[in-house]
Amino acid sequence: MKLNDPQAAKGLEGKEASGSAGRENMGRLPALRWAELPKPVGLRKMLGPGIILVAVGIGSGEYISHPYITSQVGLTFLWAAAVGLGLQYFINTEVARYTLATGETAVTGFTRLWRGWAPLFVIMTVVPFAWPGWMSSAATMVTFTAGGQGSVQWIAVGGLVIIGLVLTLSPIVYKTVEKIEFLKVIAILVFAVVIILFVIGWEPWAALPAATVQSAGRMPEGIPAAFLVTAMVFAGGGGALNLTVSNYIRDKGWGMGAHAPRIVSPITGHEEAGSATGTQFEITPESEGHWKIWWKNAKTEQFWSFFVIGLFTIVIFSLLAYRLMPVGSYQGKGDLSFIQVQANIIGEQFGGPLQTFYLLIGTVALMFANLAVVDIVARVVADVLAVSYLRDHKFWTEAKIYSTCVWTMIALGVIILSVGVTQPITLLAMAAILNCGVMVVYCALLIRLNRRLHKVVRINRPRIAALGMAVLFYSAVAIFTTVTQIQSLTGA
């Protein structure tokens, strides 16, 4: 029986369902309850999830990886940013589809397919993102701004503790994260306008089309595979980060997510009643009309706030590197020293205030990216534990599990930094390589999950093809990385 075969659902409940068939209990989870699909809200009120995800990308692929690659080989790798963001746009909207229709997270949906996905997704989320590469990078940027003063290790540890306090003391966590990431993106867009007007000039723009088109599909030579993978995977979100579109939809109250409780602080917030498992709605002419508006707005929100802003920032920061550092002029190590070189050039050519602005933007972008990562990982893990293992526990609510997960992530980051692993590019590369495999798995699962929805809301063939391309793309990236790493280790 399909998760949402209309005839099966009609026979069981006497009406058609948008989510799981009435009595089916796949993955040993409760069957979906019945509720009405709320009336759609305006697009402006739906802004947020895409901004948070792209804010993570601005802290890695946009600010670090792509500019570094540009400094080495020019604008020949920007095609990968467009491809990566495009594929993630389809991933994000298909994650949104399931939660809009059922009020459940995509990970809970995977658990309905097979309960073994619950522990596996905990592992696949925590392990890749335990490495505090964003915070280590932010701490490095602080020392640049302070003229080389300060300890990267201890600044990063302090930053992680601040993140933990912000996330566990916020009355409604999502609202705090959304406001922080909105401010970050606005500041970066202001900086982008300034450098477009006063720094970049017309020559990089003129070189962009030919360089991108002629190199499309090619992997540039002379760049370590780890850098290339980081740029491709973290263009936008990356890895398990994309799955938390589900969690943010629930906290924003989109579609059937309006019937799910929000995550609040167990200290300063008021925990909301509700179940982490989802709901389904009856297919009627009215609900079908509401669904079409919800789905259209969800796609529009992701297109503009995730794809367009993500691609714009990657291009701008890459053009800045192209303008300031002619190809081959930078011969430094593969770390953040090239950011320092760029900052020095900005200071020499355009003045100290713009140099400081550039470094502060980087610091804020990277620190807030780490905040979003900790929030995202804690949400995924809390969702899995609350649904699959602690569903009937009176004390361990999802909010308490979330706060515990936040401080567990903080503790893991502190331990990693304490043993001396502080190289930002290395940490980001570790996260990217591990997340590449995660994306292959959940793209395939999304196809299977969303094909089982009611015909009114299920995935169509063009989108199945898009997710299939994502599976092939990230599989190829994973194989490429594995082969190059083996060759590097063996000296081949």
Side-chain angles (χ1 to χ4, degrees):
M1 183 185 297
K2 290 184 178 181
L3 255 176
N4 194 29
D5 179 81
Q7 294 304 317
K10 192 173 183 179
L12 288 169
E13 301 288 348
K15 49 190 171 181
E16 293 183 353
S18 66
S20 302
R23 287 200 299 259
E24 191 165 15
N25 192 18
M26 302 178 70
R28 299 184 182 179
L29 296 181
L32 299 184
R33 305 174 307 281
W34 289 94
E36 291 186 3
L37 177 64
K39 292 182 180 179
V41 298
L43 180 60
R44 185 180 63 83
K45 292 183 178 181
M46 291 181 69
L47 293 175
I51 291 289
I52 294 175
L53 283 180
V54 83
V56 178
I58 291 174
S60 50
E62 281 86 333
Y63 190 79
I64 299 175
S65 302
H66 278 284
Y68 174 80
I69 293 170
T70 299
S71 73
Q72 302 301 300
V73 296
L75 302 170
T76 60
F77 199 58
L78 287 180
W79 65 268
V83 171
L85 284 165
L87 292 176
Q88 288 186 50
Y89 162 78
F90 285 104
I91 292 170
N92 295 351
T93 49
E94 289 307 316
V95 171
R97 181 196 299 274
Y98 183 75
T99 305
L100 285 171
T102 67
E104 287 186 340
T105 65
V107 175
T108 299
F110 301 156
T111 305
R112 288 189 181 275
L113 298 175
W114 178 52
R115 61 177 180 168
W117 288 121
L120 285 176
F121 267 97
V122 170
I123 295 170
M124 289 190 293
T125 302
V126 173
V127 173
F129 289 109
W131 318 98
W134 295 267
M135 183 51 68
S136 179
S137 300
T140 304
M141 299 292 292
V142 170
T143 63
F144 291 166
T145 308
Q149 300 298 313
S151 166
V152 170
Q153 183 182 34
W154 289 109
I155 293 172
V157 168
L160 289 175
V161 172
I162 292 172
I163 286 173
L165 292 173
V166 169
L167 293 178
T168 51
L169 295 179
S170 299
I172 298 177
V173 178
Y174 174 80
K175 288 185 177 181
T176 299
V177 175
E178 183 181 78
K179 289 176 182 178
I180 288 173
E181 303 303 339
F182 259 96
L183 289 174
K184 166 184 167 179
V185 170
I186 290 171
I188 289 173
L189 292 178
V190 169
F191 177 75
V193 171
V194 171
I195 63 173
I196 287 172
L197 294 176
F198 302 106
V199 179
I200 292 177
W202 66 270
E203 290 184 3
W205 290 103
L208 178 62
T212 304
V213 172
Q214 292 174 6
S215 61
R218 299 177 184 176
M219 302 297 278
E221 298 180 0
I223 302 294
F227 282 94
L228 301 180
V229 174
T230 302
M232 287 187 283
V233 173
F234 287 144
L241 301 182
N242 300 75
L243 294 175
T244 49
V245 170
S246 286
N247 303 79
Y248 293 141
I249 283 176
R250 284 154 53 97
D251 276 17
K252 290 280 284 186
W254 293 10
M256 299 305 284
H259 301 288
R262 295 178 296 182
I263 291 179
V264 301
S265 168
I267 301 173
T268 63
H270 177 71
E271 295 194 48
E272 300 177 354
S275 173
T277 53
T279 52
Q280 55 190 332
F281 63 91
E282 181 183 0
I283 300 297
T284 65
E286 182 182 25
S287 66
E288 186 174 347
H290 288 168
W291 166 261
K292 289 179 180 178
I293 298 174
W294 278 117
W295 177 232
K296 177 183 177 181
N297 287 348
K299 291 188 293 183
T300 303
E301 190 271 341
Q302 284 293 315
F303 177 77
W304 289 104
S305 65
F306 178 80
F307 179 80
V308 173
I309 291 179
L311 188 58
F312 174 75
T313 53
I314 287 176
V315 170
I316 293 303
F317 280 111
S318 296
L319 290 176
L320 176 64
Y322 186 81
R323 162 67 176 80
L324 298 176
M325 305 171 71
V327 177
S329 63
Y330 175 71
Q331 301 295 326
K333 297 180 180 179
D335 55 25
L336 285 178
S337 60
F338 84 97
I339 291 287
Q340 189 174 27
V341 171
Q342 277 200 135
N344 292 337
I345 296 173
I346 290 174
E348 293 170 0
Q349 297 185 9
F350 304 98
L354 189 58
Q355 177 186 18
T356 302
F357 190 15
Y358 172 70
L359 291 173
L360 289 176
I361 283 291
T363 303
V364 170
L366 291 159
M367 181 175 180
F368 287 179
N370 214 136
L371 180 145
V373 166
V374 172
D375 172 64
I376 286 168
V377 172
R379 284 177 182 275
V380 172
V381 176
D383 176 56
V384 170
L385 295 179
V387 169
S388 298
Y389 300 105
L390 298 169
R391 186 167 59 248
D392 300 320
H393 202 285
K394 293 182 180 180
F395 176 78
W396 283 109
T397 61
E398 188 170 359
K400 291 184 177 70
I401 299 170
Y402 169 85
S403 294
T404 303
C405 292
V406 165
W407 285 104
T408 301
M409 284 292 293
I410 299 301
L412 286 173
V414 170
I415 291 170
I416 290 169
L417 292 169
S418 298
V419 298
V421 183
T422 59
Q423 172 53 260
I425 299 297
T426 301
L427 293 173
L428 290 174
M430 288 179 183
I433 292 169
L434 291 169
N435 272 295
C436 201
V438 175
M439 296 177 82
V440 173
V441 172
Y442 71 62
C443 285
L445 288 174
L446 278 172
I447 294 174
R448 185 182 176 194
L449 188 65
N450 285 348
R451 286 185 64 189
R452 300 164 77 93
L453 295 172
H454 185 275
K455 63 182 179 181
V456 170
V457 301
R458 73 167 61 117
I459 187 173
N460 57 26
R461 289 181 179 178
R463 284 182 158 264
I464 290 174
L467 289 188
M469 289 176 60
V471 171
L472 294 175
F473 178 77
Y474 292 114
S475 296
V477 172
I479 293 171
F480 167 77
T481 307
T482 302
V483 170
T484 53
Q485 291 302 311
I486 291 174
Q487 290 176 339
S488 176
L489 291 172
T490 60

